Amino acid sequence: MEIKRGIPVSPGVAIGPALVLDTEWFRIPQRFIEGDHLADELQRLKHALGVAAEEARGHQQAVNSKLGRQYGAIFEAHALMIEDPSLSREIEGLVKDQGYAAEYAVSRVMRRYAKALESIDRGNFATRAADLFDIEKSILRHLLGHRREQIQQLKEAVIVLAHDLTPSETAALDQRKVHAFATEAGGRASHTAIMAGALEIPAVVGLGKFVTDVSGGDQVIVDGNRGVLILNPDEETIERYERTRTSFRTFESQLGKLRDLPAETRDGTRVPLLGNIEFPHEARHCLERGANGVGLYRTEFLYLGKQGDPTETEHFDAYMTVVQAMGNRPVVIRTLDLGADKFATAAEPVIHERNPFLGLRSVRLCLRNLTLFKTQMRAILRASAFGDVRIMFPMVSTLLELRHCKMILAEVKEDLEDEGIAFNRKLPVGTMIEVPSAAVMAEQLAREVQFFSIGTNDLIQYTLAADRTNENVASLYSPGDPAVLRLIDTVIKAAQKHGVDVNVCGEMSGEPIYTMLLLGMGLRQLSVTPHHIPEIKQIIRSVTLEEAVQVAQEALRLEAARDVNNYLREQTRRILPEAVMT
Ligand code: PEP
Ligand code: MG
């Protein structure tokens, strides 16, 4: 049994067989063979090894003539390794003695070698491990051939383990079959993590190296509450986690009873809870959890699985699904936040930037591609004729940028007016505050909009210069950092002064330990991933405003993220112990 600790990004506990994905999304089943198939299996293995070695020699020839012998030598080394009798002896041994299917035996042996190399912390041994993966892949390709299983066509429940998953790969996971996932890379507010929340599957990211320690079919546990992955758990651990899973479900179903009760403090202050969504069908998740509206609709997910840019009709249809489902509740549609780790447009499919998070992202990209921007604005305005639609601009970093966005919106309104198309002329306009410059200039921005939404996912990364997707700087990336709290405080005060609505829509607002703090700092509205709504509501219903103000005052006095988080954890444990798992 091996226990790995990472970053919990989607709650829940899952126990089941691992499906290990490599970069080619191979699936290596833990399969055993019958004794009378042994000879055939050994023959199959021999054939695959032979073809893989031949292939490596072919690559060697091609590279020799294209780039020179020193590069071709890499593939010669691959061929020599595949032909090494001690390698085939070891693999054959597992097939004969353990009854493993050839591909499972190959994977076990190659992963053992790779792990041994990775553990030698010197020179380029670790990068040599990558060569071993290449060799493994090549042999597996010949063994599995057309039988290579597709992740989209799973027949049984699995837990997906991978080095990393992109947001699109995550979105493509079939929730009915993938009961959890865990990755070596990733941060707490990466879009992959946000997708896990949208799919409502337990997930842990940023675990560091573990893929070489596990084979497909091995039993694993993912604890999305505490951020733990357990490989090959013993009986006692499995029993303990089965009990945890049951009590977590009981806790969730108790919270379900809060659905129709208001999010209101013990002394009667209402704090509407809105939902964050990525797909139109999630409007249903919001309603099931008793959301008071949609506070953030991330429209860039319209790009998922699409080659070209969405048409005006595609935008409009998606928005109408949400607007109609939400009735007269507010629906905040955020304009496209493309770029960085989220999808490319058809016009600018792959922009190679050295620092994509600091590059042509979001409104910066839309302002360079006005056709794209106006198409979306037309659809949002048209949908505004049917409900309480509001428009919000992401990643605004200067006042002039916001004015530019509003100017384009005014042009689109004029066009619709000329065409006699209905829309809400008073469509509320808001901006996200997720760049430190916007937080600092909140007073000036407040004069231009009806509402603010504080995007802590980005605000934290830009304030602390810590990439939200990078597990290596995850310890710096904390919502409780005093610098972040001071910026949030500035924004709330500016909003209050100018009578502008303000909420937080970053992942921070769905983390129970920050609820009292945010209330105490003056927020009267939060926008969270739908499945967090009941828990956050429970906390709101358990405190008085006065208690929350005291907690916020104390937290703002502290000078280190660690102290703030420990203090808040303690205060939250006092109110709702089940909400604080670690
Ligand atoms: C944020 O940055 O907090 C936010 C809500 O936007 P996104 O996560 O889509 O970047
Ligand atoms: Mg953001």
Side-chain angles (χ1 to χ4, degrees):
M1 173 162 109
E2 214 171 320
I3 301 175
K4 306 273 175 190
R5 289 181 197 283
I7 306 164
V9 292
S10 185
V13 170
I15 306 171
L19 187 156
V20 184
L21 297 177
D22 65 15
T23 49
E24 286 190 14
W25 289 58
F26 266 119
R27 179 176 178 210
I28 306 138
Q30 185 186 39
R31 217 162 47 77
F32 293 90
I33 48 155
E34 303 291 332
D36 46 355
H37 288 125
L38 180 63
D40 289 349
E41 197 64 6
L42 291 173
Q43 185 51 37
R44 207 164 71 82
L45 173 66
K46 193 168 165 209
H47 176 74
L49 288 170
V51 185
E54 222 171 86
E55 190 179 68
R57 297 225 180 264
H59 289 325
Q60 182 197 353
Q61 298 299 333
V63 175
N64 273 355
S65 54
K66 217 166 161 187
L67 300 170
R69 283 185 177 280
Q70 71 272 38
Y71 294 102
I74 299 169
F75 292 101
E76 186 183 14
H78 283 195
L80 288 171
M81 214 179 294
I82 300 169
E83 287 162 350
D84 183 349
S86 62
L87 177 79
S88 46
R89 244 195 328 272
E90 197 172 337
I91 302 173
E92 280 171 16
L94 286 181
V95 177
K96 284 186 202 151
D97 305 338
Q98 309 286 338
Y100 288 169
E103 50 272 3
Y104 186 53
V106 167
S107 167
R108 291 296 291 240
V109 170
M110 298 307 285
R111 265 146 214 264
R112 193 175 68 70
Y113 282 8
K115 190 169 158 52
L117 281 182
E118 277 178 353
S119 68
I120 305 171
D121 196 17
R122 248 178 308 123
N124 58 3
F125 280 114
T127 52
R128 284 275 163 264
D131 282 336
L132 286 179
F133 283 125
D134 254 11
I135 294 171
E136 179 190 347
K137 241 182 270 176
S138 158
I139 304 172
L140 287 175
R141 223 178 8 250
H142 296 297
L143 274 174
L144 292 165
H146 64 277
R147 292 191 300 113
R148 195 178 130 175
E149 291 188 65
Q150 291 296 318
I151 181 90
Q152 287 86 354
Q153 292 149 16
L154 292 172
K155 292 186 190 68
E156 64 202 30
V158 292
I159 292 180
V160 166
L161 304 180
H163 169 67
D164 199 5
L165 293 172
T166 64
S168 345
E169 285 165 347
T170 313
L173 297 176
D174 175 355
Q175 300 119 285
R176 289 163 306 172
K177 293 285 188 267
V178 177
H179 284 189
F181 74 80
T183 60
E184 294 184 335
R188 69 199 283 174
S190 63
H191 289 101
T192 298
I194 289 166
M195 282 315 308
L199 296 172
E200 307 201 341
I201 48 181
V204 179
V205 303
L207 283 149
K209 290 214 168 299
F210 70 81
V211 167
T212 43
D213 301 351
V214 58
S215 296
D218 285 356
Q219 187 83 349
V220 296
I221 297 176
V222 169
D223 178 350
N225 303 321
R226 293 184 178 84
V228 173
L229 168 70
I230 305 177
L231 307 176
N232 298 308
D234 56 29
E235 279 305 314
E236 193 192 322
T237 309
I238 294 178
E239 273 169 31
R240 185 158 48 81
Y241 267 95
E242 269 162 0
R243 286 197 298 275
T244 310
R245 188 165 56 177
T246 312
S247 59
F248 181 69
R249 284 185 184 151
T250 314
F251 173 56
E252 291 234 298
S253 72
Q254 276 164 358
L255 289 177
K257 297 185 189 131
L258 297 175
R259 197 186 73 174
D260 299 320
L261 297 175
E264 182 177 286
T265 60
R266 277 178 30 224
D267 45 356
T269 302
R270 285 265 167 130
V271 186
L273 292 176
L274 308 158
N276 292 346
I277 64 169
E278 286 71 38
F279 304 107
H281 74 262
E282 286 180 278
R284 203 185 61 234
H285 294 177
C286 292
L287 294 172
E288 283 163 4
R289 299 325 196 296
N292 300 101
V294 169
L296 169 64
Y297 178 3
R298 289 183 168 100
T299 56
E300 51 281 1
F301 283 84
L302 280 167
Y303 276 79
L304 197 75
K306 267 190 73 71
Q307 294 299 328
D309 294 326
T311 61
E312 182 180 323
T313 307
E314 283 167 332
H315 278 288
F316 179 72
D317 290 347
Y319 306 156
M320 283 304 290
T321 305
V322 178
V323 170
Q324 281 170 340
M326 298 309 291
N328 53 9
R329 297 176 188 83
V331 175
V332 177
I333 304 180
R334 183 175 75 177
T335 60
L336 295 165
D337 184 26
L338 297 162
D341 64 338
K342 284 190 279 195
F343 323 108
T345 69
E348 314 209 46
V350 192
I351 313 165
H352 291 291
E353 297 180 300
R354 283 206 199 116
N355 291 305
F357 274 109
L358 303 181
L360 200 58
R361 181 188 164 191
S362 206
V363 284
R364 300 172 184 184
L365 196 130
C366 288
L367 286 169
R368 285 244 307 224
N369 187 342
L370 291 184
T371 311
L372 182 84
F373 209 11
K374 286 186 168 183
T375 302
Q376 180 175 32
M377 284 183 182
R378 280 178 70 92
I380 296 175
L381 280 163
R382 283 174 53 204
S384 75
F386 299 91
D388 183 357
V389 171
R390 305 171 188 189
I391 189 170
M392 176 160 78
F393 299 116
M395 268 289 282
V396 167
S397 43
T398 70
L399 183 61
L400 292 189
E401 207 171 32
L402 174 63
R403 287 192 182 146
H404 196 170
C405 294
K406 285 173 61 187
M407 197 181 80
I408 308 295
L409 183 66
E411 283 175 21
V412 177
K413 280 183 174 178
E414 259 176 48
D415 291 347
L416 290 180
E417 195 93 55
D418 291 348
E419 293 167 44
I421 297 174
F423 65 93
N424 174 12
R425 287 188 182 74
K426 296 209 170 98
L427 174 84
V429 176
T431 179
M432 294 208 49
I433 304 285
E434 49 184 350
V435 182
S437 59
V440 171
M441 294 293 282
E443 286 239 9
Q444 286 72 15
L445 294 168
R447 295 197 191 102
E448 308 268 336
V449 291
Q450 278 82 51
F451 65 95
F452 280 165
S453 192
I454 305 175
T456 46
N457 301 341
D458 279 314
L459 187 62
I460 299 166
Q461 81 163 342
Y462 294 130
T463 303
L464 291 155
D467 181 343
R468 62 195 268 187
T469 67
N470 184 343
E471 67 282 9
N472 297 315
V473 290
S475 60
L476 273 176
Y477 185 100
S478 172
D481 191 278
V484 175
L485 299 188
R486 276 163 180 69
L487 286 178
I488 295 176
D489 191 46
T490 306
V491 177
I492 296 172
K493 289 197 170 114
Q496 286 169 341
K497 183 167 162 194
H498 293 273
V500 159
D501 277 350
V502 57
N503 67 31
V504 169
C505 66
E507 295 302 288
M508 176 187 191
S509 62
E511 288 189 45
I513 67 164
Y514 300 113
T515 310
M516 280 189 277
L517 169 76
L518 295 175
L519 282 190
M521 286 173 81
L523 287 167
R524 294 292 173 270
Q525 199 186 76
L526 296 172
S527 191
V528 308
T529 309
H531 69 249
H532 287 310
I533 290 177
E535 199 175 11
I536 301 299
K537 188 188 273 187
Q538 172 77 312
I539 294 183
I540 293 171
R541 291 178 59 83
S542 310
V543 292
T544 62
L545 204 54
E546 202 184 316
E547 280 172 315
V549 169
Q550 269 172 16
V551 166
Q553 280 173 351
E554 180 55 29
L556 284 168
R557 262 196 291 275
L558 299 170
E559 293 177 351
R562 189 196 50 198
D563 298 340
V564 173
N565 291 331
N566 285 342
Y567 170 70
L568 294 176
R569 202 169 286 123
E570 221 173 84
Q571 295 302 312
T572 312
R573 191 174 282 127
R574 212 169 39 82
I575 292 187
L576 188 62
E578 301 90 323
V580 188
M581 298 283 187
T582 44

